[in-house]
Amino acid sequence: MIWGNLSLALLGSLALLLVSAGIEDVRTREIANWKNAAIALIAPLWWISSGLAPWPDMAIQFGLAAAVFAVFVLIFAAGWMGGGDVKLIGALALWFPLQQLVWLLVVMSLAGGVITLALAIEHRWRRATTPLEIPYGVAIAVAALLALREPLFNQLHA
């Protein structure tokens, strides 16, 4: 029972951090490093409470997150995404197995496209001359919150 309560608390903490990161990104177009670090640092507790074996499960999860982070660092280097967004995606990759992570990335891309299109229309309508800045952290947070439905539902009904 203690592992179930810990799992639920960890999922709740992740959800709160995601909501906070999304709000912060809308307000400031930045995501605080401490939020990304907290998401990454509590992931191993999630692994333990979820019953992941140190080898190979945890090693695979860490490798998957490292690969995702590396890909998104390249996207950052190309100027297509902010650093806070990349760190958030890398931290979230520690939480989700491959299938859920791929789903999260697809939903994130779709949500990001909708947000980008809406802001581009609004930017043009206002005839703004400043560069368009997209709070992509919102798309990441929404996708991750949707991806949390399954583990959260499983914990509530365990």
Side-chain angles (χ1 to χ4, degrees), residues 4 6 20 29 56 77 84 141 144:
L6 178 60
S20 176
R29 298 302 193 263

Side-chain angles (χ1 to χ4, degrees), residues 87-141:
K87 289 179 266 189
L88 181 56
I89 293 167
L92 285 169
L94 292 166
W95 284 79
F96 298 99
L98 180 60
Q99 185 175 356
Q100 278 184 295
L101 182 60
V102 169
W103 185 89
L104 183 153
L105 293 174
V106 168
V107 172
M108 174 195 79
S109 298
L110 294 171
V114 169
I115 292 168
T116 300
L117 182 61
L119 288 177
I121 290 169
E122 186 265 344
H123 194 260
R124 185 171 177 101
W125 181 75
R126 286 188 304 114
R127 295 188 174 128
T129 57
T130 58
L132 181 61
E133 291 186 31
I134 309 299
Y136 213 82
V138 173
I140 299 165

Side-chain angles (χ1 to χ4, degrees), residues 14-27 30-32 34-35 141 145:
L14 176 58
L16 290 173
L17 285 163
L18 287 167
V19 169
S20 176
I23 290 170
E24 181 180 18
D25 201 24
V26 166
R27 289 183 175 167
E30 291 182 3
I31 300 170
W34 74 263
K35 291 177 185 172
L145 287 167

Side-chain angles (χ1 to χ4, degrees), residues 63-75 83 86-91 93:
L64 176 63
V68 166
F69 183 70
V71 167
F72 280 91
V73 163
L74 295 174
I75 292 170
V86 170
K87 289 179 266 189
L88 181 56
I89 293 167

